[in-house]
Amino acid sequence: MELNPEQKAAVEHFEGPLLVLAGAGSGKTRVLTMRLANLIREQGVDPSAILAVTFTNKAAGEMRERVRRLLGHEPAGLWIGTFHAIGARLLRRNAHRLGWSPSFSIFDAEQAVREVKRALDRLNLPVKRWPPKAVHAAISGAKNGLVSPEEYAALASDPFTRVVADVFPVYEAALKEQNAFDFDDLLVKPVVLFEQHDDVLAAYRRRFQFLLVDEYQDTNRAQYRFLRLLAEEHGNLMVVGDDDQSIYGWRGADIRNILDFEKDFPATKVIRLEQNYRSTARILEAANQVIAENVRRKGKTLRTQAGPGEPLTRVEALDENDEAAWIVAEIEARLAASPDCSLRDFTILYRTNAQSRALEEALRRRDIPYQIVGGIRFYERREIMDVLAYLRLISNPRDAGAFDRIVNYPKRGIGDTTRARLLTWAAERGMTALEAAGRAREVDAITPGAASALVAFAGLIERYRALALHVGVGELLERLLEETGFLEALREEGPEGEERIENVRELVAGAHEFDALPPEPDDDVEATRLDLFLQKVSLLTDIDRQDPEAKRVTLMTLHNAKGLEFPFVFIAGLEDGLFPLARAYDEPELLEEERRLFYVGLTRARRKVYLTHARTRRRAGEVLPCVPSSFLEPIAPELVERRLTPVLANSRRQLEARWRTPSPRGLSARGPAPAPPAGGGGGGGVVFSAAPGPPRFIKGERVRHPHFGRGTIREVSGFGAEMKAVIDFESVGRKKVVVRYANLQKEL
């Protein structure tokens, strides 16, 4: 494929800031890789002077491989990776500047939450009242906003934030004590490093003369500051992104970073990539109509040279089970009609993870293989976390969480009481738990048998620490599993244990694969291959584990779908209160982000989009009536064919039959029968004319109440049966009503 004029301009741009607004499916990865190759091959830039940042490890690997193919050789010295991976790499080299050693651990979210719980316990704060997950989320948000514990404490203004302010410094101290960073630190600590050590910043500014950043619309304050510090001297910063696909505000991403890029770098050249190479014209037209409703955007319109393609199909179902059954039946019908189709061509997208239950059950009933992106991660399975805890403790003897997890697994006769006494003794002497275990015979409160087991455990870890310097991770793991009897312990768990053993063997295979990879040129880093293996594992994301070649239907949330594409895309659960979320109607910025998420879902499709919604849905144990999502309204009717599921169509026919049943006096008991559905249907459903749903009320609208009279709506919250409205009535003042009981009428 030749470059179009806009792509060519972006590839050939040399010096100065460049903002590439790349629409979905516009070939941005090609532009990034070809610009990398162009800088090296045509402009003579040393690969080691280039830093390229992506948002997934998979994208980083693909980009490096494409550049290698374009150049015909390995671009030695070129840094390509995610923000987290690059942050970890910088910290391995410079950890001592901040008081850590290069063998630091990286705590994932679960380990971090566990550490927050320990901090709450130390402060005698009840975890039932102050959930560790919520406290950790607040700390994470503060870190990504570059808010220090001291600044957070000064801003704390309510009971929850004051608790967070107390926990924050205790949590930070615990990380440092264990020579550990959490995920957020991999973004924040490099900024701290640059701001506190001018010589380090100057060295990296000299080295990285050209910066290329993908998915810039998803950067947060820490990532923005990191790039600004590196680029503000030479200004050779190329950012590629799409403001219409900024969907991570909930985890700190700031759309202003891309909207205000030209203010930050006044000499910016702006290039729009609007030619789409993925989707059909109807899909793009629908996507353009949806996203045009947003106000905060730079503006662009996707276009394609592909044909119009099939219309979008909008399907109304009776409930979530009917919706799931219809989707599965449609996949089967497509496969039967098109021999060239495969299960991997289909993805089902949804707003919340809870929606996968009905879909999974429907797929299992039909024996259709599927994979979930964002389900239980391989590296979060119990047995894998146990093995990794051994490796973490071997790599970093100060890792208290790892020690606690495996000191008595497989069982060694070290109970909770023994552990507590050991930790108390260690704390009194300022030792790590592992150091104390090696001296357990000195602890009077511990029995001789338990003390011997602790000393043996400490000796085991020390021996493997020495071994890790000389053997690969795969061999280290095999010896460790053999010596500890780990697999035998799993085998004793019966059939489930056999499955866990297979998972552990898969981990060993992965370790051997890692050993076969050539080490990256990381000259002065003291980290061992084991340290780097653990780093690689900790930085893997859900998308990195998605197998595009697997002959399975893919299920995932819309957030996880970003960056992927499929021939056939189902977007399920398009109902107000679910998608968009109910609270979005109270926050205009959140509503725009929810709309961008829908736009992302639409633009994942190459051939066909299905949009499904249900009349009722069980949520939080209650069956609620549903209203079709307001996001569907901007899509022109001529782009969409509408269907009822057979179940819903049948229930409608039964209802009509009841309406037509004569009363004893020979008249219809319920009035005239409604008009029957239009069209005969086919392809798994009945095509129908739109039936009016319950009225939708908005802020500022004039309404009439049967008792209170005329009024103006001031606030609307909730959805479905839970929808409430605050209304200023002319006769009785302000009232809050439950809409389903109020019998409100719109004033025309």
Side-chain angles (χ1 to χ4, degrees), residues 321-322 324-325 328 332 357-368:
N321 295 317
D322 183 32
V328 172
E332 290 182 313
R357 180 196 57 80
L359 295 162
E360 288 186 72
E361 288 178 2
L363 288 162
R364 281 199 294 266
R365 275 196 299 271
R366 303 297 300 170
D367 290 325
I368 295 177

Side-chain angles (χ1 to χ4, degrees), residues 482-503:
E482 176 70 29
E483 184 167 347
T484 58
F486 193 96
L487 298 183
E488 284 69 20
L490 289 177
R491 199 166 280 116
E492 290 171 6
E493 297 180 16
E496 188 179 325
E498 291 297 332
E499 186 178 330
R500 294 187 188 280
I501 288 171
E502 287 307 309
N503 290 334

Side-chain angles (χ1 to χ4, degrees), residues 217-231:
Q217 77 280 348
D218 292 328
T219 52
N220 61 27
R221 172 127 186 106
Q223 291 161 329
Y224 163 82
R225 184 69 183 142
F226 173 78
L227 294 169
R228 187 79 189 263
L229 284 166
L230 278 177

